[in-house]
C-alpha cells in the first residue's frame, strides 16, 4: 500500500468516525428530548385530572346551592300563600253564597300540652268535587301547611269488606332526588317528622285526623292507610301509621 493510499484510507476512517459520533449525539439528544416531553405530558395529564375533579366538585356544590335557593323560594311562596288563603277563608266563612256551593274542611294539629287534636287551618272545596279529588286536595294542603312541602299523595281508594280505605303515600321531596344524605335540602320525613315521641304524635294526628275528617257528615272514606315511599311504614315513634286507621 502506498503512502498516499494509506493517508486516504485513514482520512476515510476519521470521516466515518466523525459522522458516527455526530449521529450518536443527535440520537442521544432526541432520546433526551423524548423523555422530557413524556415527563411534561405526564405532569400536564395529572394537572388536567386534578382540574376535572375540581370542576366536578364545584358543579356539585353549585347544584346543592341551586337546590337550596329553589327550596327557600318554594317555602317563601308557600308561607305567603297560606297567609293569603286563610285571611280569605275567614271572610268567606261568613258568606252564605260561598257556603252554598263550597265546604270547609279543617286541618288538624296536636295541642302542645294535651296532644289532643285542634284545628289550625281550614281549606275549602266545591261541593261538586269528587271524593278522590278532595282527598288529593287535602294531601296538598297538609303538605303545604304542616309538612314544609313534602309530598303527600293519594295512591288510590281500595275496598276492604265494603269499607273505603284511602292509601296515602308519603314521599321525600323531589328536590333531593339524586343527592347524598349529607347534601339533602330542607326537611325530610325521616329526620324531621318520624323522629321523637312528640314529633311522631304530631305527625300522626296531623295526617290521620285531617284525612279521616271524623266530624264530616257527607260522603267520605272509612279508613286510611299510609305508606312511606311506597312501602309499609315501620318506624319507632309513628307505629300507629303502620296499620289501617278507621273512623
Amino acid at each position: 500500500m502506498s503512502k498516499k493510499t494509506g493517508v486516504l484510507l485513514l482520512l476515510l476512517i476519521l470521516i466515518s468516525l466523525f459522522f458516527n459520533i455526530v449521529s450518536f449525539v443527535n440520537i442521544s439528544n432526541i432520546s433526551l428530548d423524548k423523555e422530557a416531553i413524556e415527563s411534561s405530558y405526564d405532569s400536564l395529564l395529572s394537572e388536567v385530572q386534578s382540574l376535572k375533579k375540581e370542576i366536578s366538585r364545584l358543579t356539585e356544590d353549585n347544584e346543592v346551592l341551586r337546590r337550596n335557593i329553589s327550596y327557600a323560594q318554594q317555602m317563601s311562596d308557600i308561607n305567603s300563600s297560606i297567609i293569603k288563603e286563610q285571611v280569605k277563608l275567614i271572610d268567606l266563612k261568613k258568606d252564605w253564597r260561598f257556603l252554598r256551593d263550597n265546604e270547609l274542611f279543617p286541618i288538624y294539629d296536636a295541642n302542645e300540652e294535651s296532644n289532643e287534636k285542634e284545628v289550625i287551618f281550614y281549606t275549602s272545596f266545591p261541593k261538586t268535587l269528587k271524593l278522590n279529588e278532595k282527598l288529593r286536595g287535602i294531601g296538598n294542603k297538609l303538605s303545604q301547611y304542616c309538612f314544609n312541602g313534602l309530598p303527600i299523595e293519594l295512591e288510590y281508594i281500595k275496598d276492604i269488606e265494603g269499607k273505603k280505605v284511602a292509601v296515602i303515600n308519603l314521599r321525600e321531596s323531589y328536590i333531593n332526588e339524586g343527592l347524598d344524605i349529607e347534601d339533602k335540602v330542607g326537611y325530610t320525613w325521616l329526620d324531621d317528622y318520624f323522629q321523637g315521641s312528640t314529633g311522631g304524635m304530631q305527625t300522626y294526628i296531623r295526617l290521620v285526623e285531617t284525612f279521616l275528617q271524623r266530624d264530616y257528615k257527607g260522603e267520605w272514606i272509612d279508613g286510611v292507610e299510609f305508606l312511606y315511599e311506597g312501602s309499609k311504614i315501620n318506624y319507632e315513634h309513628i307505629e300507629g301509621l303502620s296499620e289501617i286507621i278507621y273512623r
Side-chain angles (χ1 to χ4, degrees):
M1 179 185 298
S2 66
K3 184 176 180 181
K4 185 176 180 180
T5 302
V7 171
L8 287 173
L9 183 59
L10 179 60
L11 183 59
L12 288 172
I13 292 172
L14 289 173
I15 291 171
S16 176
L17 182 61
F18 171 77
F19 279 110
N20 284 334
I21 292 172
V22 170
S23 298
F24 175 76
V25 171
N26 287 336
I27 291 171
S28 297
N29 287 338
I30 291 171
S31 178
L32 288 173
D33 290 342
K34 182 180 179 183
E35 290 177 1
I37 290 171
E38 288 179 346
S39 177
S40 297
Y41 174 78
D42 290 340
S43 177
L44 287 172
L45 184 60
S46 176
E47 187 173 345
V48 167
Q49 294 298 330
S50 296
L51 287 172
K52 284 183 177 180
K53 289 180 180 179
E54 181 65 12
I55 290 171
S56 177
R57 185 187 68 79
L58 290 173
T59 301
E60 291 176 0
D61 288 347
N62 284 339
E63 176 62 15
V64 172
L65 179 60
R66 184 193 67 78
R67 295 194 188 204
N68 272 292
I69 293 172
S70 176
Y71 177 78
Q73 183 61 55
Q74 178 185 344
M75 290 300 99
S76 175
D77 293 343
I78 286 175
N79 290 333
S80 177
S81 173
I82 290 173
I83 294 171
K84 291 178 181 178
E85 185 173 36
Q86 292 306 304
V87 169
K88 182 179 179 181
L89 283 176
I90 288 173
D91 293 333
L92 289 175
K93 283 175 65 177
K94 305 170 186 176
D95 187 338
W96 65 269
R97 289 165 298 186
F98 173 79
L99 296 176
R100 179 188 58 194
D101 300 322
N102 298 274
E103 296 175 299
L104 290 176
F105 290 86
I107 292 177
Y108 294 101
D109 200 353
N111 182 280
E112 292 183 0
E113 296 181 359
S114 65
N115 278 335
E116 295 294 324
K117 72 176 182 181
E118 61 182 10
V119 178
I120 54 168
F121 297 113
Y122 283 95
T123 188
S124 67
F125 303 111
K127 291 182 178 180
T128 55
L129 209 61
K130 294 181 180 179
L131 176 58
N132 62 341
E133 293 173 330
K134 291 178 181 177
L135 290 170
R136 287 194 178 93
I138 282 180
N140 289 335
K141 294 304 179 183
L142 260 177
S143 168
Q144 293 176 7
Y145 292 178
C146 299
F147 296 103
N148 287 284
L150 291 172
I152 302 174
E153 301 173 351
L154 171 68
E155 293 293 313
Y156 50 86
I157 299 174
K158 62 182 179 180
D159 183 278
I160 299 181
E161 298 180 350
K163 295 184 180 296
K164 297 190 291 288
V165 176
V167 179
I168 308 297
N169 191 19
L170 310 178
R171 300 190 58 192
E172 296 294 358
S173 176
Y174 305 109
I175 204 169
N176 284 320
E177 288 182 356
L179 290 183
D180 295 331
I181 294 176
E182 62 271 16
D183 293 328
K184 287 191 179 296
V185 176
Y187 291 81
T188 69
W189 288 107
L190 285 181
D191 293 335
D192 298 290
Y193 297 109
F194 290 176
Q195 298 295 326
S197 300
T198 302
M201 178 60 69
Q202 285 183 325
T203 296
Y204 179 90
I205 289 178
R206 289 172 180 175
L207 291 171
V208 172
E209 296 301 329
T210 302
F211 270 107
L212 287 183
Q213 294 289 321
R214 299 180 196 269
D215 297 327
Y216 181 62
K217 304 304 180 184
E219 179 194 3
W220 204 248
I221 55 174
D222 300 297
V224 63
E225 178 181 8
F226 293 96
L227 306 175
Y228 171 64
E229 293 288 2
S231 300
K232 184 176 180 178
I233 294 176
N234 187 22
Y235 294 96
E236 180 181 358
H237 298 292
I238 50 168
E239 300 96 335
L241 295 182
S242 62
E243 305 294 338
I244 297 174
I245 305 108
Y246 289 95
R247 293 180 86 188

